[in-house]
Structure formats: C-alpha cells, structure tokens
Amino acid sequence: MILNTLIDYDTLRVIWWLLLGVLLIGFAIMDGFDLGSGILLPFVAKTDLERRVVINAVGPVWEGNQVWLILGGGAIFAAWPPLYAVSFSGFYLAMFAILFALILRPVGFKYRSKRDSAAWRSAWDWALFVGGLVPALVMGVAVGNVLQGVAFHLNDDLRIFYDGTTLFELLNPFGLLCGLLSVAMLTMHGAGWLLLKTEGAVAARARTIGSVAALVTLALFVLGGVWLFLGVNGYRIVGTIATDGPSNPLAKAVEIAPRAWFTNYAAHPWMLAGPALGLVGALASLAFIRARVEIGALLSSALAIFGIISTVGLSMFPFILPSSIDPRSSLTVWDASSSHLTLFVMLVATVIFVPIIIAYTTWVYHVLWGKVDARSIADGNGHAY
C-alpha cells in the first residue's frame, strides 16, 4: 500500500522498460564507436603507426564504455528475470561468441605492442577486428530473431524450456539482415569517432568508409522495415491483460498476425519518431561526414543508433520476448518483471548512481579530449598502446 502511494506497479514496469532501452542504447552508442573502430582498424590504418593511432583513439575510454553493457545485463537480471533466463539459455552459444570476442579486445590492446614483430602485431590487429565485428554482428542477429519470435515455452509451473537447436538456426535471412545492419550502423559510428580523434590519412579513409557505411545503414534499415511489414509476422495480445498483476506470462492470450508489429504506430503516431530519427540520423551522418563536420558526424550517427534501436522497442511494446512455438508464453512488460518492491528499490539505486556514472564519464571525456596523432604516441612516455 505504501509503495502504491509512491509509484504504482504498472508505472514502475513501464519505467523499467524505458530504462532498459536507455541502457541498451547507451551501450550501443558509447561502446559502439569502440566496436566500429575495431571493425575499421585493418582498412583505415595501413602502417604500424597508423594502427597505433586508431588503437589509442579508443584505448583510454573503451573499458569505461563497457559499463553500459554491465548495467544493461544487470538490469535484465534484476528487473526481468524470465527474460534473462530465456536469453542466456536460448542464445547461449551466441552469448559465448560475443564474450569470446569481447575478451579478445583487452588482450589485443595490452599485448599488441609487446613485441616488435610485424606478424605478431598483425595477428592482434585482426583479433581486435574480430572483437569489434563479432559482437556487432551477433547482437544484430539476436535482435532479428527476437522480432521473429524465440523457440521457448513455459509449462504450467512457469518453468522455462528452450526448444531451439543450434546457433546456426539463428543465422536465418532476416536475422542476418539485422546483423549486417548492426555492423553497418556501428561502422558508421566508429568512422564518426575516428574523424573526431584522428587526422591525415586515417581520417580520410575513415571518411570514405564511413560514407559508405551510412548509405548501407540507411538502405538496410529501410529494407528491414519493408521485410518486417511484408514477410515477418508480429504478435499481439488478444483481450485484456492485467498491467498491475503478478508476473505470470500464461495469464493472457496472444496471437501471431501479419503486420502486428506496426499496430502501435497506428494507435500512437508519436512512435513514428523512432524510425524517423533512424533515417534522419543516418542521412545527417552521411552529410556531416562528407562535409567534414566531425562532431556533427558523431552525434548524428548516435542519433541514428537511438532511432534504430528505439524502433525495435516501440514496435514490439508491450512484448519484450515473443515465443514462436507458444505465443501465450511470450514475455511482456506486464507479466515478466520482478516484484513491485524490487523494481522500486532498483529505481532508487538507479536515480542515485546513474547520474554519478554520467558525470564521471563526462569528466573523463573532457580530460581526454583532443586528437591522437603520431607525436602524441611518440611523446606518450610508454603509456600509449
């Protein structure tokens, strides 16, 4: 009763749905340019010194940026336990591939320049490339599979059973399209960062590749929307659902229907802001990259990421993980959350600590502002990668 006077259960559920989106978008934007820079490394840097410039452009900040990944994973674990259980069971091999690739990054940063050997350094450069490409690709593939529905069901005791087979079933055509969109989007973002942090030949190559990545992002986003409209069935709740009741995914009826993922836009036209920002951001990024407006290119690519990821969440609401084999088992905002008290305590902690994280991150970027060039590496007194 006391909690209801402060903030009711259904409102808390929506707040945590929004916060989860903010954390995932924060990870995609903050760590996205690190991943994108890794993808670009073999192509924008031709000499050892140029590769060191690229690595040192992200080296001081990439570890801090991964805080957003930890926060997102923690939020899923604490606020949406069934979502965490299904994701880490059904996508186990995909998660393993992502973690393996992410582990390559710190090892690559630390060991790459330990030996003055061209073969040694080239091997670690490609490891950093894999560490950027694989997470970007697999995360996009996962989103594409979520939009199509995941093969899981709940029994009468609410025990979760994953009925999928192998990692390769996730690599379906629509999933791969979403994976390629993710790669192109983060490559565009990485190019924006390298334009801001480097100069000369590295920046020129980043400008060329970033322009192509922006065009590909735009084309794949439009193609994905058309494919979703014409060829991917969505999910919708039949009848009513208790928005403030206990978490029981089986206490609802769900049907699969063509174009169901687009019904929210008809009911709430303001949601069209999501795909609009995705398109405008990609176009603006292309324009700023070509015009050599560095900060504009980075901010507009971040805007594109915000719009593209928001489009997925807004299209699916209130679903957070649909089931392809038992639609009634699909997880929604209203029936897959933790308790009222848990969400409230987590919200209080979030209100206290997230501003501290943002303030510290802002201070770090202020201190580390400026371009990385050959002189800064030569004068690094051994601290440069």
Side-chain angles (χ1 to χ4, degrees), residues 29 32-40 44 54 58 183-198 206 210 213 289 298 301 305:
I29 292 176
F33 66 75
D34 297 343
L35 299 176
S37 297
I39 294 170
L40 288 167
V44 300
V54 173
V58 299
V183 171
M185 177 178 72
L186 296 188
T187 301
M188 171 184 68
H189 197 42
W193 177 253
L194 292 181
L195 284 175
L196 184 67
K197 294 293 291 183
T198 67
I289 288 173
L298 183 65
S301 64
I305 292 173

Side-chain angles (χ1 to χ4, degrees), residues 19 30 35 48-49 64 105 127 135 151 195 204 266 276 310 369:
L19 285 175
M30 298 303 297
L35 299 176
D48 180 71
L49 184 57
R105 291 207 297 168
L195 284 175
S310 296
W369 194 256

Side-chain angles (χ1 to χ4, degrees), residues 139-355:
M139 289 178 184
V141 168
V143 171
N145 280 273
V146 168
L147 285 166
Q148 296 174 94
V150 178
F152 75 95
H153 74 276
L154 281 70
N155 67 5
D156 292 337
D157 297 324
L158 299 185
R159 292 179 60 193
I160 298 171
F161 296 88
Y162 179 70
D163 300 295
T165 54
T166 66
L167 174 63
F168 295 102
E169 72 176 349
L170 302 179
L171 303 178
N172 52 75
F174 183 75
L176 286 172
L177 172 68
C178 293
L180 293 175
L181 171 58
S182 177
V183 171
M185 177 178 72
L186 296 188
T187 301
M188 171 184 68
H189 197 42
W193 177 253
L194 292 181
L195 284 175
L196 184 67
K197 294 293 291 183
T198 67
E199 55 189 14
V202 172
R205 297 185 192 112
R207 184 177 302 110
T208 300
I209 300 175
S211 300
V212 175
L215 285 171
V216 173
T217 299
L218 186 65
L220 291 179
F221 185 44
V222 173
L223 177 60
V226 173
W227 194 332
L228 196 66
F229 184 81
L230 297 177
V232 177
N233 291 330
Y235 294 71
R236 63 187 175 205
I237 296 173
V238 180
T240 60
I241 182 173
T243 60
D244 58 353
S247 291
N248 179 6
L250 298 181
K252 66 178 182 300
V254 177
E255 69 175 4
I256 302 176
R259 296 181 289 280
W261 289 145
F262 291 82
T263 56
N264 279 345
Y265 297 114
H268 309 286
W270 64 268
M271 290 186 175
L272 289 169
L277 289 176
L279 295 171
V280 170
L283 284 170
S285 181
L286 174 63
F288 283 129
I289 288 173
R290 300 311 301 167
R292 305 187 182 188
V293 181
E294 298 166 352
I295 190 66
L298 183 65
L299 293 178
S300 56
S301 64
L303 181 65
I305 292 173
F306 176 88
I308 291 171
I309 297 178
S310 296
T311 298
V312 177
L314 292 171
S315 299
M316 292 181 59
F317 185 86
F319 291 90
I320 52 178
L321 191 65
S323 170
S324 59
I325 61 174
D326 180 20
R328 189 175 63 134
S329 296
S330 298
L331 307 180
T332 75
V333 172
W334 312 122
D335 58 24
S337 73
S338 293
S339 68
H340 193 175
L341 178 60
T342 299
L343 295 183
F344 180 77
V345 172
M346 288 175 56
L347 181 62
V348 172
T350 300
V351 170
I352 294 172
F353 289 106
V354 168

Side-chain angles (χ1 to χ4, degrees), residues 35 37-43 97-105 122-138 183:
L35 299 176
S37 297
I39 294 170
L40 288 167
L41 177 61
F43 309 107
I98 291 173
L99 290 175
F100 176 78
L102 291 178
I103 289 171
L104 285 176
R105 291 207 297 168
S122 177
W124 285 116
D125 290 339
W126 284 106
L128 290 171
F129 168 76
V130 171
L133 177 67
V134 170
L137 178 65
V138 175
V183 171

